Amino acid sequence: DTAVSQTPKYLVTQMGNDKSIKCEQNLGHDTMYWYKQDSKKFLKIMFSYNNKELIINETVPNRFSPKSPDKAHLNLHINSLELGDSAVYFCASSRGGGVYEQYFGPGTRLTVT
Amino acid sequence: EDQVTQSPEALRLQEGESSSLNCSYTVSGLRGLFWYRQDPGKGPEFLFTLYSAGEEKEKERLKATLTKKESFLHITAPKPEDSATYLCAVILEAAGNKLTFGGGTRVLVKP
């Protein structure tokens, strides 16, 4: 009964490739997020979607493109991967876009070689 | 321009040795402060939300408190299973609905 799930858990790829990470939540939440956790363990928000509409778009290279086919799914596509993209990417969801607790997925560790 | 600062960065405790973690934020207009626990290789797990100064929340050996500029997470008589990284995050009026995280405090409880 995983609340927020992500696939894959690990992703190893070469520079220049394109890859996608998928996220699904079964909590009935309206809002979903993508975070990046770097090697120093800082968690930073990248994007947020509320009911399929983009509401937060941080300063992220446009090689990163989120897509939300419905409010239970939020995918992250990354073009032309670079070494600096290596990190752990977390998906999260919350009841709404306001002051609500967010529930996180298990993370996807991306390694770019 | 760190808006959320957690201290200490790391904490080693003996089992049963109570201690406190600090989270301070530099920008005014707090809408909510959140505490999370993160185990190695896993996603952050929600613990508490605090909204206003004076508020307190408790769960087992953990108690979170909030003042106007900082929050404390008190760990009472910790056990080895309390070992984790504890993350603090805030939603500030100036930042819309964006959750801003601190760097975390790594807690190791030795038996």
Side-chain angles (χ1 to χ4, degrees), chain A residues 1-6 23-27 29 32 91-93 103-106:
Chain A
D1 254 28
T2 307
V4 182
S5 59
Q6 294 178 230
C23 177
E24 176 180 0
Q25 55 95 3
N26 63 6
L27 297 167
H29 288 167
M32 296 184 73
C91 175
S93 73
Y103 294 88
F104 284 77

Side-chain angles (χ1 to χ4, degrees), chain A residues 73-92:
Chain A
H73 295 85
L74 180 62
N75 303 324
L76 183 65
H77 188 75
I78 316 170
N79 288 328
S80 304
L81 278 153
E82 300 178 356
L83 291 176
D85 297 332
S86 295
V88 182
Y89 292 85
F90 288 100
C91 175

